[in-house]
């Protein structure tokens, strides 16, 4: 059975969130790199390396994750088969001006 991901994108300098859902095949659900690829497919405006992923623990803290091991820990807190993640863009306006 596949894993459903509910993703909340918060773009730098904006308050509005863009919310999308997508599925990850069960065999790839523990792969951080596969999840990262799915995020890039779902949000084409993002660029590799210019965003961080977070999940919210039961205490309400936003926990960053960037490895398979950390993703596996987040999966332990999945409710109703949906992994909720927050995507924060890290690209600064200074980097934009340098291009």
């Amino acid at each position: 059975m596949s894993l459903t991901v509910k993703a909340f994108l918060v773009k730098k300098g904006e308050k509005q969130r863009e919310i999308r859902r997508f599925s990850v095949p069960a065999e790839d659900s523990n792969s951080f790199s596969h999840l990262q690829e799915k995020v890039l497919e779902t949000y084409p405006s993002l660029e590799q390396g210019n965003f961080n992923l977070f999940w919210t623990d039961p205490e309400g803290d936003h926990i960053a994750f960037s490895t398979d091991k950390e993703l596996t820990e987040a999966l332990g807190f999945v409710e109703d088969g949906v992994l909720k993640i927050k995507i924060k863009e890290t690209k600064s306006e200074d980097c934009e001006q340098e291009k």
Side-chain angles (χ1 to χ4, degrees):
M1 185 169 187
S2 65
L3 172 70
T4 299
V5 177
K6 186 174 183 182
F8 301 81
L9 173 62
V10 180
K11 290 188 175 186
K12 195 154 185 84
E14 295 182 17
K15 293 182 182 181
Q16 187 81 12
R17 297 182 302 174
E18 183 178 341
I19 304 169
R20 297 186 183 224
R21 291 171 77 103
F22 56 88
S23 295
V24 175
E27 63 272 10
D28 294 323
S29 64
N30 289 330
S31 170
F32 177 78
S33 61
H34 186 80
L35 177 62
Q36 201 172 33
E37 287 173 24
K38 290 294 284 185
V39 166
L40 287 167
E41 285 175 23
T42 305
Y43 295 99
S45 64
L46 292 174
E47 296 176 23
Q48 183 74 34
N50 287 339
F51 64 92
N52 293 320
L53 300 179
F54 301 84
W55 62 280
T56 304
D57 72 6
E59 296 170 349
D61 295 320
H62 296 285
I63 310 298
F65 66 102
S66 58
T67 65
D68 292 349
K69 186 175 180 178
E70 291 170 335
L71 172 58
T72 300
E73 182 177 348
L75 292 172
F77 292 91
V78 167
E79 293 179 11
D80 300 326
V82 178
L83 172 64
K84 295 178 182 176
I85 62 171
K86 183 176 181 181
I87 306 160
K88 287 186 78 176
E89 210 173 19
T90 59
K91 177 173 42 180
S92 72
E93 289 155 11
D94 294 336
C95 291
E96 292 268 319
Q97 292 173 354
E98 292 174 9
K99 287 183 178 179

